[in-house]
Amino acid sequence: MNFKILLSKKELQPYLLKARYGVEREGQRVTLAGDLVTTEHPSSLGNRQFHPYIQTDFAETQLELITPVAESIPELFDFLSGIHDVAYRSMNPEEMIWPLSMPPALPEKEEDILIADLERFSDVLYRRYLAKTYGRRKQMVSGIHFNFEFSDELLHKMFALQNKYTEYIDFKTEVYLKVTRNYLHYSWLITYLFGATPTSEANYFDSEDRPNEPVRSIRNSSYGYKNHGDVQVSYQNLNRYLSDLERMVIEGKLSEEKEFYSSVRFRGGKKMADLATAGIRYIELRNIDLNPFGYWGISEEQVEFLHLFLLFLLWQDEGVDADEWVAEGENKNEQVALEHPLNVTTYQEEARALLEGLTLFVEERELDISPNLLASVFNMVDNPSATLAGQLYQASQETSQKEVATTIATANYKRAWEHPYQLAGFTQMELSTQIFMFDAIQKGIQVEVLDDTDQFLKLTFNGHSEYVKNGNMTSKDSYIVPLLMENKIVTKKFWIKQAIVYQKAASFRISKQRFKRIQNLRIKALLLNQNQPTMA
């Protein structure tokens, strides 16, 4: 499939930078002095195992903050900001979030690292298995998981312009397979730019088997949390990928498919097996270190670059042998990860050539990106001190990495508590609505902002949805129905979700006007009886 020719089609230009995003940010809870806490997960956050926004990862001390799917970068960071506010202000006032991927000093005895106390015993058993197989210390590393999906508008238009694939699911799967193969081949560039784990703190390594610190990224090297060397999976096609994973489980090299740890994970359903029928719906990048200098662990500029880079990788040619192509990239990534953070990378010329190709791609496609985005990346390639690892290492030379991290964490802590009645990311809304949203997020109720100007929210919990206006008006107030139906933004979002319904109705020759009248009645009925499953 020649995606280079396909992406050159002029009619695709308006859709190239449309996408859907999600971020999962991990982070250890520490004291105000920068030491690992010994307290339990905050009780005010309810059941963390089923919480849509705030959970725990491996350890009891390891928060995981999860955004809902966002249609734009500003929307993504609005929610990421709000979730951070809720997390900080739900924790013990004497605790804060460690800003580094490498954990703070760990207990001398490994058994003193507390595994997350989850409700489902099967999840506890799985963590015990990971602790036995890889060690508890390795599990204490945190990072960013970046979920990315090209917009359906772009992919459907691309699908219509090609004739190789007859099924949309197969076409979409091939899109993500190619992007993944190229990403794994060029992941060393992401490690160079955004790697930020140059040194470890006390007791992370319990033996002499450790890197010659400082490096660019301990986490993304063989010294980080990796599967054992005998775990090998092919990315040639999806069937081969799934069969290899199944074989790894049968041979006992993995306990189950989700134990497979790669820089990219395919997503298509609730279970890995769902990929066989549903195809790849989006990809999850798992090799991004926490940005120590970003309040959220990742910056808007990083997200913009990652989107642009992934689009470019769909355009970029790849090697003939998929497995060799991926293996070559993994070898380069190991080299770059273990380079000194202030040294020019061995692959500097290749990095420049790659970025020059990216720049030409942007110019030819007339993509509207931030003015200094590529210039800053070029600067990092020429000046290693400008990379995240370079900045962190330099700052640590004046004091220590712990002092630098504690100072950053303290500043983030003060920022979260500066306006205790506001919800960051949503300060344009009325204060009553912000407080209402804070409480809903804290309790694990899904929140969707339908219209921030008109203060319209949609709350969903356990299959039930409720529309709320001004933080206090619900379906109990019958006046909300005409207000909602008069709001063009809210009704438009409803119509988008009903597009498939209309397509089916159109086959029965129902006019748009009649269909809209029927659906307006349906909206009213749903609002008056919000236990209907169609609103979930």
Side-chain angles (χ1 to χ4, degrees):
M1 183 76 196
N2 195 327
F3 286 103
K4 185 169 287 188
I5 294 177
L6 194 57
L7 288 170
S8 299
K9 301 292 185 182
K10 193 70 176 179
E11 51 264 55
L12 295 180
Q13 196 276 338
Y15 308 98
L16 293 176
L17 291 181
K18 290 188 176 182
R20 287 153 59 88
Y21 315 91
V23 164
E24 301 164 28
R25 182 261 166 96
E26 301 163 341
Q28 296 286 351
R29 290 184 292 119
V30 296
T31 67
L32 298 184
D35 300 317
L36 192 69
V37 301
T38 57
T39 56
E40 296 179 349
H41 183 77
S43 58
S44 60
L45 292 171
N47 190 330
R48 78 309 253 302
Q49 191 157 334
F50 306 103
H51 201 293
Y53 304 118
I54 305 173
Q55 300 178 3
T56 48
D57 197 68
F58 171 80
E60 187 70 8
T61 58
Q62 195 172 27
L63 290 175
E64 184 172 16
L65 311 184
I66 307 166
T67 71
V69 178
E71 304 284 345
S72 69
I73 295 175
E75 181 186 348
L76 174 70
F77 279 87
D78 283 346
F79 252 101
L80 196 53
S81 299
I83 294 170
H84 271 79
D85 262 14
V86 174
Y88 268 107
R89 302 208 293 263
S90 299
M91 290 160 50
N92 185 312
E94 301 301 313
E95 295 179 3
M96 54 189 184
I97 300 176
W98 188 247
L100 306 185
S101 277
M102 295 303 291
L106 297 176
E108 290 186 9
K109 294 181 179 179
E110 189 171 55
E111 57 268 27
D112 290 338
I113 297 174
L114 303 177
I115 294 175
D117 184 16
L118 301 178
E119 184 174 289
R120 282 200 300 243
F121 188 57
S122 59
D123 291 325
V124 176
L125 285 178
Y126 179 65
R127 283 163 171 75
R128 289 179 182 175
Y129 162 80
L130 294 177
K132 183 178 180 180
T133 305
Y134 302 98
R136 298 191 184 199
R137 301 182 194 282
K138 289 287 180 74
Q139 305 291 326
M140 296 296 280
V141 176
S142 299
I144 290 286
H145 295 176
F146 176 64
N147 299 308
F148 179 83
E149 180 181 7
F150 291 111
S151 74
D152 274 337
E153 290 177 294
L154 171 62
L155 293 181
H156 274 295
K157 290 187 179 297
M158 290 174 62
F159 176 67
L161 290 170
Q162 58 84 48
N163 54 22
K164 180 177 180 180
Y165 294 93
T166 58
E167 297 294 332
Y168 175 68
I169 289 177
D170 296 335
F171 171 76
K172 188 174 183 180
T173 292
E174 183 52 39
V175 165
Y176 288 118
L177 279 169
K178 182 186 177 183
V179 169
T180 297
R181 290 190 293 264
N182 268 346
Y183 187 85
L184 293 173
H185 181 78
Y186 294 111
S187 61
W188 57 267
L189 179 62
I190 302 302
T191 296
Y192 174 82
L193 298 172
F194 305 137
T197 49
T199 58
S200 61
E201 298 298 324
N203 301 321
Y204 177 73
F205 291 106
D206 58 358
S207 68
E208 296 302 315
D209 182 23
R210 56 189 303 160
N212 184 23
E213 303 175 26
V215 297
R216 283 207 167 88
S217 180
I218 294 174
R219 177 174 173 267
N220 282 298
S221 74
S222 56
Y223 295 96
Y225 171 36
K226 303 290 183 182
N227 293 122
H228 297 310
D230 58 353
V231 175
Q232 299 293 326
V233 173
S234 174
Y235 291 87
Q236 288 184 6
N237 55 62
L238 186 57
N239 287 336
R240 176 76 182 277
Y241 174 86
L242 293 173
S243 64
D244 281 352
L245 278 180
E246 183 180 11
R247 179 170 55 83
M248 293 293 106
V249 174
I250 292 173
E251 294 176 357
K253 296 174 182 177
L254 297 174
S255 63
E256 50 186 302
E257 287 89 347
K258 71 177 182 179
E259 186 191 338
F260 178 57
Y261 193 93
S262 172
S263 295
V264 182
R265 178 172 286 178
F266 297 139
R267 296 296 193 182
K270 292 183 178 180
K271 298 179 180 179
M272 187 70 70
D274 295 338
L275 289 169
T277 54
I280 303 172
R281 188 162 58 90
Y282 66 95
I283 56 176
E284 177 187 359
L285 307 185
R286 301 166 62 85
N287 65 324
I288 303 170
D289 289 351
L290 290 176
N291 181 341
F293 310 103
Y295 177 68
W296 311 279
I298 188 170
S299 69
E300 295 182 62
E301 291 77 18
Q302 282 178 278
V303 171
E304 184 180 8
F305 178 78
L306 287 169
H307 179 177
L308 190 64
F309 189 57
L310 292 170
L311 181 64
F312 174 68
L313 293 181
L314 180 58
W315 180 87
Q316 179 81 343
D317 292 333
E318 60 178 319
V320 176
D321 188 298
D323 295 333
E324 289 182 5
W325 187 246
V326 169
E328 182 183 342
E330 290 175 343
N331 290 333
K332 287 183 177 180
N333 185 74
E334 176 74 358
Q335 288 181 265
V336 172
L338 295 178
E339 291 174 335
H340 191 285
L342 297 182
N343 285 352
V344 172
T345 178
T346 304
Y347 303 104
Q348 183 185 42
E349 291 305 315
E350 187 175 347
R352 284 176 178 164
L354 194 62
L355 293 176
E356 286 168 1
L358 176 58
T359 302
L360 183 61
F361 174 75
V362 170
E363 293 173 350
E364 290 180 347
R365 303 283 78 75
E366 300 178 352
L367 301 180
D368 184 18
I369 64 174
S370 298
N372 298 319
L373 181 65
L374 293 180
S376 66
V377 176
F378 269 107
N379 179 52
M380 285 191 276
V381 170
D382 292 333
N383 301 291
S385 61
T387 64
L388 295 184
Q391 292 180 60
L392 179 58
Y393 177 68
Q394 281 189 310
S396 301
Q397 294 311 289
E398 300 176 7
T399 54
S400 68
Q401 183 170 271
K402 178 183 178 179
E403 286 295 322
V404 172
T406 303
T407 300
I408 293 171
T410 301
N412 294 341
Y413 169 86
K414 290 179 179 178
R415 174 175 171 174
W417 284 97
E418 189 174 9
H419 303 288
Y421 298 105
Q422 292 184 357
L423 184 64
F426 302 97
T427 54
Q428 76 280 13
M429 302 177 77
E430 294 177 0
L431 188 58
S432 59
T433 303
Q434 293 179 55
I435 295 172
F436 182 83
M437 288 181 65
F438 181 101
D439 290 343
I441 292 173
Q442 186 184 57
K443 290 174 173 56
I445 299 171
Q446 290 179 291
V447 180
E448 181 181 353
V449 179
L450 299 176
D451 184 357
D452 56 358
T453 303
D454 214 13
Q455 315 291 310
F456 259 119
L457 307 176
K458 179 183 176 182
L459 306 185
T460 303
F461 182 77
N462 197 26
H464 172 74
S465 293
E466 185 78 39
Y467 287 87
V468 181
K469 179 173 169 54
N470 298 334
N472 59 16
M473 186 182 295
T474 69
S475 59
K476 301 301 181 182
D477 189 331
S478 60
Y479 189 57
I480 194 176
V481 177
L483 290 177
L484 190 148
M485 294 175 68
E486 289 172 4
N487 186 297
K488 294 181 179 179
I489 296 176
V490 176
T491 53
K492 181 180 179 181
K493 290 183 177 181
F494 185 89
W495 290 122
I496 291 174
K497 293 181 179 180
Q498 297 300 316
I500 297 176
V501 179
Y502 174 70
Q503 289 174 2
K504 293 179 180 179
S507 64
F508 293 97
R509 301 181 183 276
I510 298 176
S511 69
K512 287 185 178 181
Q513 292 76 14
R514 185 183 175 193
F515 179 76
K516 189 171 183 179
R517 287 197 300 271
I518 294 172
Q519 289 300 87
N520 279 338
L521 293 173
R522 186 169 179 264
I523 294 172
K524 186 174 181 178
L526 289 171
L527 288 170
L528 293 175
N529 185 11
Q530 295 193 28
N531 282 309
Q532 294 293 324
T534 49
M535 292 295 288

